[in-house]
Amino acid sequence: MAEYYHRGGRFMGRGRGGYRGRGRGCGPFTRPMSEAAASQDPDNTFEIQRSHKYCGAAPLLEQPQVLGGYSIDEDRTFGHDCTMLKFLDRKYLPENGKMKVSLDLNKGIDKACRYIGNSEESFHNLLKWILNNKDCLMNKTEPQRLDVDFISLRRPLTTIMRSPYNFNESWVIYAVEFMGSIYFLKEKGDNFLVHQNQATFRNCFEVWGHKFEDYMCGGDPEGGIQANEEYRCVLKVMMDQTTMVFAPEVDCADPYLYEEGFKDLSGFVMVKCCRELTEDYKIKTHKRHKLCQWWAENKLSGIPRILTGYRNDDGIVHTLELYETDDLPEMAEGEWEAAVSFNFCAKFLDFVKSKIKADPSAVYKFEREKKGNIYCTKVKDSSQIKILPDWYTNHLFSEDTDDEDTDDEYLCENTN
């Protein structure tokens, strides 16, 4: 794998879409106008310009503050505790940044469990935590308001950050305002509004990803694969003048750096598994998309390191490499820039604020077309889209602080 990051020349040439170098200064292609785009008022369109338009000094991103955490067990049961927090097996931590191993990701594959969660459930789990810990989020001058601009899972935020470079991805994010805070929920491909259990893993690559994480956390190589257990940290971060609360799933903590009552995620490590890269075009794609995704996830969360396993097509990991999050933009060799991602995100969040301000009672749909812009529409029949459940809106500002799924108060200052 060493030659990947130390190769020089950039793969420029013309791609399939007939454009040059999708790095700096390139934007959406010329294309026929879609029906959705044709029907849009320009005031409701967030135009995605060429990436160089977002260059310049990036908004300040403060160190994310840990407010608390919660666990989801193998039955997808929510708990105000840290029982599902995992720790890195340090024998897999490369001393010089790189290590040769032989890890078979197919072991225990016949015992793989079924993932039964979905994005709506994950979002509701965050709301449960907020409901039980609302005191640490209350606005001190306005008692009927949280001191937060946006509340979301991490994925909608990283999706937005990657949009200036990810032209081939379409997405939908719904937004609703409640008592001064805007709530984001990203629509999944199977429509998050429809309750569906995933009966099986989508493919072997998903199984391998969970198995690799199990190896890194000292799991039994012959044991089964558990996909439903999660530990999530609730973080508050300020980007420029915008405050965000989100709850990323965290892979593991370094036992040498972990401390009780941690206030940030500097002692945590992201774990990723991907295919070994040899072809130039796949190396370029990896730099442009994977490195950008990993960087956005870790940078928002304040996780400083990524432990990556490179596997062959048979599911055997031969190489482990440890990267610093802050080194990823340079490793991308110009395929994307951190400042562009931050500036784009800040501008889009301002756009969302301006749209919702016009009618805070409405549900808004922000839709990114493939190779296109982002269009904002009001959902005509908001009764069909229940982003915030009644048990949350009815009790958030009431005196009843306990949520219905726990008997114990789990205060934000007692994270662990």
Side-chain angles (χ1 to χ4, degrees), residues 319-331:
T319 307
L320 300 179
E321 293 199 53
L322 184 66
Y323 305 127
E324 298 291 327
T325 300
D326 287 339
D327 290 343
L328 296 185
E330 183 177 353
M331 289 167 55

Side-chain angles (χ1 to χ4, degrees), residues 70 122 125-126 152-154 232-235 245-249:
Y70 56 89
S122 295
N125 286 334
L126 171 58
S152 174
L153 296 177
R154 181 175 57 185
R232 290 181 179 261
C233 284
V234 182
L235 306 178
V245 165
F246 57 101
E249 180 182 359

Side-chain angles (χ1 to χ4, degrees), residues 66-69 81-82 231 261-263 410-416:
V66 176
L67 302 179
D81 54 49
C82 58
Y231 178 69
F262 57 94
K263 300 301 182 184
Y410 186 69
L411 300 178
C412 56
E413 60 264 31
N414 295 324
T415 304
N416 293 289

Side-chain angles (χ1 to χ4, degrees), residues 264-301:
D264 58 51
L265 298 186
S266 59
F268 284 71
V269 180
M270 174 188 281
V271 174
K272 292 291 185 181
C273 183
C274 66
R275 184 179 177 272
E276 294 170 342
L277 303 169
T278 54
E279 302 95 332
D280 282 346
Y281 78 96
K282 290 186 178 180
I283 293 173
K284 182 180 177 67
T285 298
H286 181 80
K287 291 178 181 179
R288 185 175 185 82
H289 297 294
K290 284 293 185 183
L291 293 188
C292 186
Q293 176 185 335
W294 296 352
W295 168 81
E297 291 177 358
N298 264 14
K299 196 64 179 177
L300 271 182
S301 306

Side-chain angles (χ1 to χ4, degrees), residues 148-391:
V148 182
D149 295 313
F150 289 91
I151 295 173
S152 174
L153 296 177
R154 181 175 57 185
R155 184 175 295 275
L157 300 174
T158 57
T159 296
I160 294 165
M161 291 178 66
R162 295 169 52 232
S163 289
Y165 299 105
N166 203 359
F167 302 135
N168 288 319
E169 181 181 33
S170 60
W171 49 257
V172 170
I173 293 175
Y174 287 95
V176 64
E177 189 266 358
F178 178 66
M179 302 298 284
S181 297
I182 297 172
Y183 294 77
F184 271 163
L185 188 57
K186 185 175 184 289
E187 181 180 81
K188 302 289 282 186
D190 58 355
N191 192 332
F192 79 88
L193 300 175
V194 180
H195 292 275
Q196 293 181 347
N197 287 339
Q198 299 179 20
T200 60
F201 283 105
R202 291 188 296 271
N203 49 50
C204 64
F205 306 124
E206 184 180 354
V207 182
W208 288 345
H210 285 286
K211 187 63 178 181
F212 177 71
E213 183 177 329
D214 190 58
Y215 269 114
M216 296 300 99
C217 296
D220 179 4
E222 303 296 336
I225 301 169
Q226 178 52 257
N228 289 295
E229 295 177 349
E230 297 177 4
Y231 178 69
R232 290 181 179 261
C233 284
V234 182
L235 306 178
K236 183 177 182 180
V237 64
M238 177 172 284
M239 185 169 65
D240 201 11
Q241 299 300 311
T242 298
T243 55
M244 299 176 283
V245 165
F246 57 101
E249 180 182 359
V250 291
D251 296 329
C252 58
D254 184 335
Y256 282 19
L257 301 178
Y258 174 82
E259 296 180 356
E260 294 285 340
F262 57 94
K263 300 301 182 184
D264 58 51
L265 298 186
S266 59
F268 284 71
V269 180
M270 174 188 281
V271 174
K272 292 291 185 181
C273 183
C274 66
R275 184 179 177 272
E276 294 170 342
L277 303 169
T278 54
E279 302 95 332
D280 282 346
Y281 78 96
K282 290 186 178 180
I283 293 173
K284 182 180 177 67
T285 298
H286 181 80
K287 291 178 181 179
R288 185 175 185 82
H289 297 294
K290 284 293 185 183
L291 293 188
C292 186
Q293 176 185 335
W294 296 352
W295 168 81
E297 291 177 358
N298 264 14
K299 196 64 179 177
L300 271 182
S301 306
I303 299 176
R305 294 181 295 171
I306 302 170
L307 181 57
T308 304
Y310 291 97
R311 60 163 181 81
N312 61 21
D313 290 336
D314 296 322
I316 308 299
V317 176
H318 292 299
T319 307
L320 300 179
E321 293 199 53
L322 184 66
Y323 305 127
E324 298 291 327
T325 300
D326 287 339
D327 290 343
L328 296 185
E330 183 177 353
M331 289 167 55
E333 295 183 333
E335 289 297 322
W336 52 271
E337 294 184 25
V340 168
S341 293
F342 281 133
N343 285 326
F344 179 89
C345 184
K347 289 179 182 295
F348 178 71
L349 294 181
D350 285 342
F351 175 74
V352 173
K353 290 178 184 178
S354 68
K355 295 295 103 181
I356 290 183
K357 183 178 180 181
D359 185 2
S361 64
V363 175
Y364 288 84
K365 178 181 180 181
F366 296 89
E367 182 174 8
R368 164 74 189 274
E369 286 194 335
K370 184 177 181 179
K371 300 178 182 177
N373 295 314
I374 302 173
Y375 303 103
C376 171
T377 56
K378 281 187 189 179
V379 176
K380 294 180 179 179
D381 185 3
S382 59
S383 64
Q384 299 300 312
I385 299 180
K386 194 70 173 178
I387 295 179
L388 297 179
D390 291 339
W391 54 258

Side-chain angles (χ1 to χ4, degrees), residues 70 72 76 78 120-129:
Y70 56 89
I72 308 297
R76 301 299 297 176
F78 178 93
E120 185 182 22
E121 177 214 49
S122 295
F123 182 66
H124 284 182
N125 286 334
L126 171 58
L127 299 184
K128 289 178 184 178
W129 186 92

